[in-house]
Amino acid sequence: MVCLTIAIILACGLRLVLLRYRLESEIGPVALFYPSVVILLTSLLWLIFFR
């Protein structure tokens, strides 16, 4: 749960960065992109903290 919470916060930060530099229109469907980013970040954080 901790890794998921941190991953969601990081994904929100990533969205803000993409919006700031006007790059969000360059990525694919956002309904697939952001959940995939959250899953990726959750998995990476779990490996870093608990492995």
Side-chain angles (χ1 to χ4, degrees), residues 1-14 34 37-45:
M1 293 301 285
V2 173
C3 292
L4 180 62
T5 305
I6 295 170
I8 291 171
I9 292 168
L10 289 174
C12 290
L14 175 66
Y34 289 115
V37 168
V38 169
I39 292 170
L40 174 71
L41 290 173
T42 302
S43 299
L44 287 174
L45 288 168

Side-chain angles (χ1 to χ4, degrees), residues 25-41:
S25 62
E26 301 296 324
I27 60 174
V30 293
L32 295 175
F33 178 74
Y34 289 115
S36 299
V37 168
V38 169
I39 292 170
L40 174 71
L41 290 173

